[in-house]
Amino acid sequence: MSEQSATADLPGDVPADPSPVQRALVEWYEADHRAYPWRQTDDPYEILVSEVMSQQTQLDRVVDAWEDFLDRWPTVADLAAADRSDVVGFWTDHSLGYNNRAKYLHEAARQVRDDHGGEWPRDPDGLSELMGVGPYTANAVASFAFNNGNAVVDTNVKRVLYRAFDVPDDDDAFEEVARALMPEGESRVWNNAVMELGGVACEKTPDCDGAGCPWREWCSAYATGDFTAPDVPTQPKFEGSRRQFRGRVVSTLKEYDELALDDLGPRIRVDYAPEGEYGREWLRGLVSDLADDELVTVDERDGETVARLRR
């Protein structure tokens, strides 16, 4: 099955050829990303510790605790041999919360030692058999340690897919699109990259331009200005809003090489009248805004304003 046919029936508005989307994201991530120390290792033990610590704890706070933990118990064998009360005490001293996570981490280390001869399971199914390791954590460890995971789908990834490609707010839809977008055999870099995108560019309050989001060219939210998402409060009414008509301009220009304003206007608004309230001047302002956002190119030609989608 070709990439184009594989994406044709996906929910939302995923490009028929996903390769430019994939390439843009990976290149953006590899050019510059937050240098957390667990991104510099493929040791499953070190990665599992980071994943468990970062559950409901800000990543910047995790760094010191992660380094201190590994100084004290450098290997999974060291942790397995530790006294559980010491591990729980460490968790409390570092204000990591939910002490059960410390107990589960300790138990998982003993499982690796006793049930697996010190060898780690290498796929999500095997890792999920470890104590306290749920599907998300198992997939993260498989991806980042062994490059053998599935597409990660967390709250940040859902937000990105919802905004960028109009993926419906449905877990199955998010899973399907995330799986189709991830390049085969590249779970390590892809999952890091898409989570980085959600963490620095497509947060609840997005920073599309400041973070140089690599998906602006394809992003529905960037085109329309509607940055609502499953975990973001609803914005003001969309119907009849400027955001709606920005989106209609972009969608219409996708179908045509270029359009003069008086040809574009009736296609986005049934009550368009060149000299009316919603006429030529109103539309010129709309396409000028899109030109400022580098989504549309506007030319003056033979006395007419002509708009075309920027490629």
Side-chain angles (χ1 to χ4, degrees):
M1 181 181 293
S2 69
E3 286 184 329
Q4 292 196 15
S5 62
T7 60
D9 297 325
L10 291 175
D13 188 21
V14 180
D17 177 7
S19 56
V21 169
Q22 295 166 336
R23 186 165 54 252
L25 178 60
V26 171
E27 289 177 354
W28 171 83
Y29 174 77
E30 291 183 336
D32 184 31
H33 59 263
R34 293 172 294 179
Y36 292 117
W38 46 85
R39 286 180 170 171
Q40 315 306 315
T41 181
D42 59 5
D43 184 324
Y45 169 63
E46 295 180 359
I47 291 168
L48 178 61
V49 173
S50 75
E51 289 294 330
V52 173
M53 285 187 173
S54 62
Q55 294 169 9
Q56 301 184 7
T57 304
Q58 291 181 342
L59 292 182
D60 289 339
R61 287 185 52 223
V62 170
V63 174
D64 288 343
W66 183 82
E67 291 175 341
D68 289 348
F69 192 94
L70 294 179
D71 282 343
R72 186 161 182 182
W73 299 292
T75 69
V76 68
D78 293 321
L79 181 60
D83 188 283
R84 182 164 297 179
S85 63
D86 291 338
V87 181
V88 173
F90 176 97
W91 219 258
T92 301
D93 292 343
H94 285 73
S95 302
L96 291 167
Y98 299 100
N99 288 343
N100 278 343
R101 286 186 287 163
K103 293 191 291 185
Y104 294 152
L105 184 59
H106 183 247
E107 182 59 32
R110 290 190 167 180
Q111 286 178 274
V112 171
R113 181 192 64 186
D114 298 340
D115 300 342
H116 298 277
E119 297 294 325
W120 286 80
R122 299 178 66 88
D123 58 46
D125 288 343
L127 288 160
S128 66
E129 295 178 1
L130 300 178
M131 180 67 71
V133 177
Y136 172 83
T137 301
N139 191 42
V141 175
S143 294
F144 304 142
F146 303 113
N147 197 28
N148 190 36
N150 305 311
V152 165
V153 181
D154 65 359
T155 299
N156 285 345
V157 173
K158 290 179 181 179
R159 187 190 318 122
V160 169
L161 298 180
Y162 183 93
R163 285 174 171 166
F165 306 121
D166 283 330
V167 177
D169 184 9
D170 174 82
D171 286 347
D172 290 340
F174 287 127
E175 292 279 356
E176 185 179 0
V177 172
R179 185 168 56 248
L181 283 177
M182 187 181 77
E184 185 175 357
E186 296 187 31
S187 62
R188 177 182 290 128
V189 66
W190 179 261
N191 285 329
N192 267 318
V194 74
M195 290 194 295
E196 183 80 350
L197 187 66
V200 304
C202 200
E203 297 178 283
K204 290 185 178 182
T205 301
D207 185 23
C208 314
D209 295 322
C213 175
W215 283 359
R216 284 171 291 179
E217 176 181 346
W218 302 277
C219 181
S220 173
Y222 190 74
T224 64
D226 180 7
F227 289 97
T228 54
D231 63 331
V232 179
T234 302
Q235 293 186 3
K237 184 180 178 182
F238 179 65
E239 187 66 31
S241 68
R242 194 172 183 83
R243 290 179 288 118
Q244 182 184 40
F245 288 106
R246 280 171 54 102
R248 287 184 181 177
V249 168
V250 171
S251 296
T252 302
L253 290 178
K254 284 181 179 179
E255 301 178 29
Y256 300 88
D257 289 335
E258 60 184 30
L259 286 172
L261 292 190
D262 286 348
D263 294 322
L264 174 62
R267 288 175 167 84
I268 69 165
R269 191 172 187 121
V270 295
D271 58 348
Y272 178 84
E275 306 301 329
E277 179 181 2
Y278 297 108
R280 204 173 290 132
E281 290 307 310
W282 169 80
L283 184 54
R284 183 175 285 110
L286 205 62
V287 297
S288 293
D289 287 349
L290 290 166
D292 290 342
D293 290 337
E294 299 184 346
L295 294 170
V296 167
T297 298
V298 180
D299 298 317
E300 297 297 330
R301 191 181 308 158
D302 299 326
E304 288 188 314
T305 300
V306 178
R308 68 177 184 274
L309 197 64
R310 186 163 181 165
R311 301 293 183 179

